[in-house]
Amino acid sequence: MEPYGSPRWPDPYVPPPREGLRHSSIAAVLFLLGIIALVCAGAYFSGDLRPALFGAEQDSQVSRPGALPFGQRRDPVPGIEEANAPLGSPPPFTWPSDSYKFLAVKGDGSPLTYSPCRPIHYVVNTDLAPASWQRLLEDAIEEASWASGLQFVYDGTTDETPSSNRAGYQPDRYGDRWAPVLIAWTTPGVVPRLDGQTVGLAGSSSIGLSNGYKAYVTGSVSLDAPQFHGILDSPSGEAIGIAVIMHELGHLLGLDHVSDPEQLMFDEASWVRDYAAGDRAGLARLGTGPCSKDF
Ligand SMILES: [Zn+2]
């Protein structure tokens, strides 16, 4: 076994562009535009950008969404598919580890998460995907789902392309719900931050309600198709390809990079092909966040 070539994968840290950071106070919802800017970038949710993020939330003290008819709203009716209890749970953990880091932490110290009481829908842009994309993606999602307890639902393919200001609510395309997570094999021409040796980028966008509840509602995973095809052509290529997707799914669910080379969330090329103890501990916490029917 050997690490994949000399290129760093999956995604060396790149500071997010500051332009493009916009926030919108819409009906008690703070929705962050610029999903691609979230990718792989702890700094987006930390450091000097944090005040911009959480400061804006104080402006969102407006009435609940959902009162307006479909077609006039700027966010979906709250509570779609939100069950009364989590849909799944992470497995019992016998190797505790603190070798994980979250992309965003709330005021109480807990991580920003998806609601475990509703499924995470996803669509796939397969225009440039390898022939084996479905199996690779399903394997990676199965691992992320198992480690976190979060449930994923495949909604089919899409012709939507990644965008740095992707809207979280696209009723014309996806109906009256939060847009599903967009997973796309694409190119640096479409996603400039895939330039160089960055194989993948991923991140999620969150809402913040006036009652203090915060959660991710959608996100995106962008994979550099030419580099990904090159990985698949290498020895152990499929295992590496799955590991790349798993790493990006870790970001999607809220994991940041760690400096521990034994974890899949290590930020450079490594031998790791599976979620390790720290990754799993982090994913288990990300899968057990609070539920809410209010968004
Ligand atoms: Zn990464």
Side-chain angles (χ1 to χ4, degrees), residues 10-12 40 200 247-248 251 257 265-267:
D11 39 11
C40 232
H247 175 102
E248 300 308 331
H251 286 313
H257 288 147
M265 296 314 293
F266 185 54
D267 62 357

Side-chain angles (χ1 to χ4, degrees), residues 1-2 4 9 130-141 143 185 199 223 227-247 264 272-274:
M1 291 182 56
E2 58 185 30
Y4 173 66
W9 73 265
S132 56
W133 71 267
Q134 190 156 12
R135 181 166 47 80
L136 303 179
L137 182 56
E138 285 177 355
D139 281 0
I141 284 186
E143 295 294 330
W185 274 265
V199 178
L223 300 160
Q227 287 197 72
F228 200 91
H229 284 266
I231 287 173
L232 293 184
D233 289 339
S234 71
S236 304
E238 288 209 344
I240 300 172
I242 293 169
V244 167
I245 302 172
M246 288 170 63
H247 175 102
L264 189 60
V272 181
R273 300 285 182 266
D274 199 356

Side-chain angles (χ1 to χ4, degrees), residues 73-140:
R73 290 191 296 274
R74 298 188 65 184
D75 40 25
V77 170
I80 295 173
E81 291 190 299
E82 181 84 6
N84 291 322
L87 305 178
S89 59
F93 209 64
T94 50
W95 322 284
S97 167
D98 60 1
S99 195
Y100 58 85
K101 188 178 170 188
F102 299 122
L103 282 168
V105 176
K106 296 181 287 188
D108 63 0
S110 64
L112 187 56
T113 67
Y114 280 88
S115 166
C117 290
R118 63 179 71 183
I120 299 172
H121 288 262
Y122 67 97
V123 291
V124 186
N125 185 318
T126 62
D127 290 351
L128 299 176
S132 56
W133 71 267
Q134 190 156 12
R135 181 166 47 80
L136 303 179
L137 182 56
E138 285 177 355
D139 281 0

Side-chain angles (χ1 to χ4, degrees), residues 14-290:
V14 180
R18 299 220 181 175
E19 315 78 53
L21 175 65
R22 294 187 285 147
H23 36 71
S24 176
S25 172
I26 304 170
V29 171
L30 169 68
F31 189 76
L32 296 175
L33 302 173
I35 290 173
I36 299 302
L38 294 181
V39 293
C40 232
Y44 190 87
F45 274 119
S46 60
D48 54 359
L49 289 182
R50 184 186 294 272
L53 172 63
F54 292 106
E57 179 196 353
Q58 295 165 0
D59 297 329
S60 59
Q61 308 287 330
V62 292
S63 61
R64 291 295 315 131
L68 293 171
F70 179 63
Q72 297 180 26
R73 290 191 296 274
R74 298 188 65 184
D75 40 25
V77 170
I80 295 173
E81 291 190 299
E82 181 84 6
N84 291 322
L87 305 178
S89 59
F93 209 64
T94 50
W95 322 284
S97 167
D98 60 1
S99 195
Y100 58 85
K101 188 178 170 188
F102 299 122
L103 282 168
V105 176
K106 296 181 287 188
D108 63 0
S110 64
L112 187 56
T113 67
Y114 280 88
S115 166
C117 290
R118 63 179 71 183
I120 299 172
H121 288 262
Y122 67 97
V123 291
V124 186
N125 185 318
T126 62
D127 290 351
L128 299 176
S132 56
W133 71 267
Q134 190 156 12
R135 181 166 47 80
L136 303 179
L137 182 56
E138 285 177 355
D139 281 0
I141 284 186
E142 185 177 334
E143 295 294 330
S145 179
W146 179 77
S148 66
L150 296 168
Q151 303 299 299
F152 290 78
V153 174
Y154 173 52
D155 285 353
T157 57
T158 182
D159 60 2
E160 183 187 3
T161 53
S163 165
S164 61
N165 59 352
R166 183 182 188 235
Y169 180 52
Q170 303 181 45
D172 292 343
R173 185 186 291 272
Y174 296 117
D176 191 16
R177 58 170 175 150
W178 295 109
V181 169
L182 173 62
I183 299 175
W185 274 265
T186 184
T187 67
V190 176
V191 180
R193 290 187 60 220
L194 286 172
D195 201 16
Q197 296 176 334
T198 302
V199 178
L201 296 166
S204 290
S205 292
S206 62
I207 52 96
L209 304 182
S210 56
N211 64 6
Y213 182 87
K214 300 183 183 76
Y216 292 128
V217 291
T218 188
S220 75
V221 174
S222 297
L223 300 160
D224 185 319
Q227 287 197 72
F228 200 91
H229 284 266
I231 287 173
L232 293 184
D233 289 339
S234 71
S236 304
E238 288 209 344
I240 300 172
I242 293 169
V244 167
I245 302 172
M246 288 170 63
H247 175 102
E248 300 308 331
L249 292 174
H251 286 313
L252 178 80
L253 297 181
L255 286 183
D256 200 354
H257 288 147
V258 293
S259 57
D260 176 0
E262 296 187 358
Q263 308 302 320
L264 189 60
M265 296 314 293
F266 185 54
D267 62 357
E268 296 186 36
S270 81
W271 303 79
V272 181
R273 300 285 182 266
D274 199 356
Y275 293 128
D279 304 310
R280 287 187 52 191
L283 288 169
R285 288 190 62 190
L286 290 166
T288 49

